[in-house]
Amino acid sequence: MRQLTCEIIAIGTEILLGDIVNTNASHMARGLASIGVNTYHQQVVGDNPQRLKEALQEAYQHANVVITSGGLGPTEDDLSKETGAEFFGLPLEMNEKARAHIEAYMNRTRRTITENNWKQAMLPQGCIPLYNDNGTAPGFILDKDQRILIMLPGPPSEIVPMFDEQVIPYLKSFSGQVMVSRTLHICGIGESSVEDKLHDQMLAMKNPTLAPYAKEGIVDLRITAKAATEQEARTMIRPVEDQIRSMFGNYVFGADEDTLEGTVVNLLEKRGWKIATAESCTGGWVSGRIVSFPGASAVLEGALVTYSNEAKMEHLNVRKETLDAYGAVSEQTAREMAEGAAKAFHTETAVSTTGIAGPTGGSREKPVGTVCIGLYVNGKVSAKTVHFSRRRNSNRQLAAVQALNLLRLAILEEK
Amino acid sequence: MRQLTCEIIAIGTEILLGDIVNTNASHMARGLASIGVNTYHQQVVGDNPQRLKEALQEAYQHANVVITSGGLGPTEDDLSKETGAEFFGLPLEMNEKARAHIEAYMNRTRRTITENNWKQAMLPQGCIPLYNDNGTAPGFILDKDQRILIMLPGPPSEIVPMFDEQVIPYLKSFSGQVMVSRTLHICGIGESSVEDKLHDQMLAMKNPTLAPYAKEGIVDLRITAKAATEQEARTMIRPVEDQIRSMFGNYVFGADEDTLEGTVVNLLEKRGWKIATAESCTGGWVSGRIVSFPGASAVLEGALVTYSNEAKMEHLNVRKETLDAYGAVSEQTAREMAEGAAKAFHTETAVSTTGIAGPTGGSREKPVGTVCIGLYVNGKVSAKTVHFSRRRNSNRQLAAVQALNLLRLAILEEK
């Protein structure tokens, strides 16, 4: 058993120019975290042998495993392999296993083998070749002088399976432990409130650990345990999960792969209820989110975007008197919109949004970011006003999340 | 005039763990490239003062500008500011301008100011504060001993406008040359076709340069010229733009800040026409996109999502015979949906989508990814079938883009 600390180096001028986003690094980082390999530093360098050499030197000062992505292609720019071999003082030589694999790949995809393809089978002496089922460039693992160098190709379609299927099992074999994570999703209370309640506990916890992540109106809490077996790790996670669930109650809407829209769809399906939406400022993003969940067709009857007052009156039966007295952005209008949507599509539930997304249209009483959300659940109508302070489309996205969440909470109240 | 070389350091344990993708780095890298600032190296470190200090040391060996993202929040983890000030041997002190800006932001968003908020106005002595219109943490620029340190907050909604509106103009002022870019947006032909037509030319061009970027159904072509004045650079760009426009005709839908939905809204407004949408598989993403453009209320009358056959018949007058004979996913149904939407909302134009987004529901004749798009423009009805081969929500997004683009092309044909 060897304690591994890993550093990821992405090689590619196109990343330095911002033309592509370095998703390879986040994919590999997540994989490394899942098997308990620490990473404290990442780098990006261009296709330049001297800078790659410096990056390797820098990396091995802190880490004993370096994983690179990119620069293994057949063109003259691609010098990662040469630089890696030179760094370890090793020659490149024909790797027969890699050669056979390339030949099989080319035959399978019915392509002609060129001189360049054979060059790709030249790998550092003594390395373990990594097979590429989605391209011609093999990767490799070199373990020498207590340092491991793993060089992988750049295209996500090639590196992702190579990393998941060949690199992760290799690195796992060094560890006697497994690491298991479970993420709880919370919606309806702010990140700072969640952190306030858990702050001292989070600092004190060592194994399992507890960490919060916020994104677009949703707070994630990740519990991570390290143990000898997966079973044991899950047993350590359970009491922490129970405690969080009892602390935040219905605000916890799911775990791991669960989504807010999926949770709403499942709740409706269980009750045999259908849903309709009526949107103004969100413009279709509430229904669009519901449809993101593959089971949506079982519950979504229809949706209306009524942007003009005329459309609100004609299609949702919002009363002219309501619009005149309270305005389009009001809880009264939101209530009538929700009720109107449920009637129009003959559903047991409906949710509506009407608000001022910005950048203009705000007033003193109703500033930009004011959104009224209406709910219709099994005959009961209600409404709530929420405020956001971002830009137009960010406000709209947060409003869609809040609308779905308020609907979820209202459904839960109907046993 | 000072030649700038910049290094980007992202600070955040969540990036090292792979929980978030480092999109801030690519956004900033693209911005730096656009004004001719070189970057040869990027780093990622966790929320750890010692490692950040090492990263800064490393960065200033090659660069004279360092931009960091993250770690400016109000919690104890967030130590970027302290580490940055210490690195330059400067104390933190109350920055009155930053303080006033935070106060205005809190009042505008109707929140209570806490002690933590004032702490965020503590910045390194002598720095230039950067205002945050989307959060409470200000950023700053420190220019000392021929080294520039720029520290920015982590959330994309905060860092992107701060970087674009405050950092880029600041860095631009150091250059004796100006670099001007113009990006043409193309929709309706594939990336590889665009590249095929321009490949040799792109390789040959030095100033201006020409580079393609593809994202979600849209191909961008960026023309970049370097010259002594902006005027001169624009004069160099013009003939290249003219050539591309004559090569791709109506497929070019706009330039720079133009969006596909904004272009559609403007075309409609010019003609005094209104629009309605009727969506099935896209579930509200076509209307949601239209509403993303702030002027949408002038033209969008209403939108319907009709997921069930019943809703299609009741709200859009799609005939039962059509559904029985051709199915819900057919050009015939798409045509009736578009026509029905125009009738329901009394508009001159309408667009509809009906398709199989996946993961299930495909057949031999209509595989997953088949989407029929219906158009109603000034009394003329038409439909087209398109095919996508990605996952559910990626197919839905591409379908929404294609629907808007086909509508745009149909409007252009009506003089």
Side-chain angles (χ1 to χ4, degrees), chain A residues 353-375:
Chain A
T353 61
T354 175
I356 301 145
T360 60
S363 66
R364 249 188 75 145
E365 308 85 63
K366 296 173 187 172
V368 163
T370 303
V371 180
C372 299
I373 293 168
L375 299 171

Side-chain angles (χ1 to χ4, degrees), chain A residues 77-330:
Chain A
D77 279 3
D78 296 307
L79 291 160
S80 299
K81 206 162 62 175
E82 287 74 4
T83 310
E86 200 189 302
F87 189 86
F88 278 83
L90 292 169
L92 292 179
E93 59 179 35
M94 179 60 68
N95 186 299
E96 291 304 330
K97 281 185 184 174
R99 184 188 162 110
H101 199 83
I102 292 172
E103 197 169 2
Y105 173 81
M106 296 299 280
N107 288 335
R108 199 170 70 239
T109 56
R110 299 171 182 215
R111 284 187 248 190
T112 319
I113 302 173
T114 66
E115 203 47 46
N116 260 335
N117 296 129
W118 297 138
K119 262 194 222 158
Q120 298 201 291
M122 299 287 289
L123 296 178
Q125 195 175 60
C127 74
I128 305 167
L130 298 171
Y131 304 120
N132 189 341
D133 283 324
N134 302 284
T136 53
F140 64 86
I141 297 173
L142 197 59
D143 185 354
K144 194 175 178 245
D145 311 329
Q146 295 295 308
R147 287 171 166 187
I148 296 172
L149 175 66
I150 302 176
M151 293 195 128
L152 306 173
S157 61
E158 300 179 25
I159 191 173
V160 167
M162 196 182 278
F163 180 80
D164 291 352
E165 293 158 20
Q166 299 177 74
V167 177
I168 284 284
Y170 175 82
L171 295 176
K172 240 182 173 170
S173 67
F174 287 91
S175 159
Q177 288 201 310
V178 293
M179 210 153 162
V180 177
S181 282
R182 184 155 169 88
T183 302
L184 297 177
H185 308 299
I186 297 176
C187 191
I189 32 175
E191 186 193 6
S192 54
S193 310
V194 173
E195 286 206 40
D196 278 355
K197 285 199 182 176
L198 290 170
H199 182 260
D200 295 343
Q201 182 175 1
M202 285 193 289
L203 280 182
M205 284 171 74
K206 295 288 172 229
N207 185 23
T209 58
L210 184 61
Y213 305 93
K215 50 182 174 194
E216 294 298 320
I218 290 168
V219 181
D220 285 350
L221 284 174
R222 190 173 64 200
I223 314 161
T224 306
K226 227 183 244 190
T229 66
E230 186 179 329
Q231 177 66 34
E232 208 180 303
R234 297 214 175 273
T235 308
M236 291 160 71
I237 287 172
R238 200 154 309 126
V240 183
E241 173 169 353
D242 290 346
Q243 184 217 345
I244 292 168
R245 284 186 182 272
S246 78
M247 188 177 263
F248 296 105
N250 278 349
Y251 291 124
V252 179
F253 69 78
D256 295 335
E257 300 305 306
D258 294 342
T259 61
L260 182 56
E261 49 272 16
T263 305
V264 169
V265 169
N266 287 334
L267 282 176
L268 290 168
E269 211 176 353
K270 228 182 278 170
R271 285 161 177 75
W273 288 351
K274 304 275 183 180
I275 182 170
T277 66
E279 304 179 54
S280 189
C281 62
T282 48
W285 282 359
V286 176
S287 62
R289 251 189 124 105
I290 295 174
V291 176
S292 296
F293 186 70
S297 57
V299 305
L300 180 68
E301 204 48 46
L304 266 158
V305 176
T306 51
Y307 223 57
S308 67
N309 280 350
E310 290 67 36
K312 286 186 183 71
M313 293 188 280
E314 184 178 342
H315 292 276
L316 293 170
N317 261 321
V318 175
R319 292 178 312 147
K320 189 168 186 311
E321 301 79 61
T322 307
L323 290 166
D324 287 345
Y326 305 101
V329 178
S330 64

Side-chain angles (χ1 to χ4, degrees), chain A residues 15-23 26 29-30 33 39-46 51 54-55 58 62 195 199 203 213 222 280-285 287-289 291-294 296-297 300-308 310-311 314-315 344-346 358-359 364-367 387 389-394 396, chain B residues 14-23 26 29-30 33 39-46 51 54-55 58 62 75-76 105 109-111 133-134 157 161 165 213 222 280-285 287-289 291-294 296-297 300-308 310-311 314-315 344-346 358-359 392-393 396:
Chain A
I15 303 176
L16 288 180
L17 290 174
D19 289 332
I20 59 172
V21 178
N22 191 4
T23 54
S26 63
R30 212 161 42 237
T39 48
Y40 300 116
H41 194 231
Q42 289 178 5
Q43 299 184 67
V44 180
V45 290
R51 293 213 184 82
E54 289 170 19
E58 163 76 13
H62 303 283
E195 286 206 40
H199 182 260
L203 280 182
Y213 305 93
R222 190 173 64 200
S280 189
C281 62
T282 48
W285 282 359
S287 62
R289 251 189 124 105
V291 176
S292 296
F293 186 70
S297 57
L300 180 68
E301 204 48 46
L304 266 158
V305 176
T306 51
Y307 223 57
S308 67
E310 290 67 36
E314 184 178 342
H315 292 276
F345 292 102
H346 322 293
R364 249 188 75 145
E365 308 85 63
K366 296 173 187 172
H387 296 277
S389 52
R390 309 240 201 117
R391 297 195 172 194
R392 178 180 181 85
N393 290 326
S394 216
R396 293 174 59 219
Chain B
E14 64 276 25
I15 302 176
L16 289 181
L17 290 173
D19 288 329
I20 58 172
V21 178
N22 191 5
T23 53
S26 63
R30 209 161 45 237
T39 49
Y40 300 117
H41 194 230
Q42 288 179 5
Q43 299 184 67
V44 180
V45 291
R51 292 213 183 81
E54 289 170 17
E58 162 77 12
H62 303 282
T75 71
E76 284 167 31
Y105 173 82
T109 58
R110 303 177 174 208
R111 284 187 246 189
D133 283 323
N134 302 286
S157 61
E165 293 159 19
Y213 305 92
R222 189 171 65 197
S280 190
C281 63
T282 48
W285 281 359
S287 62
R289 252 189 121 105
V291 176
S292 296
F293 186 71
S297 57
L300 181 67
E301 205 46 49
L304 267 159
V305 176
T306 50
Y307 222 58
S308 67
E310 290 67 36
E314 185 177 343
H315 292 276
F345 292 102
H346 322 293
R392 178 180 180 85
N393 290 328
R396 292 175 58 218

Side-chain angles (χ1 to χ4, degrees), chain B residues 57 208 235 269 311:
Chain B
Q57 263 152 3
T235 307
E269 211 176 353

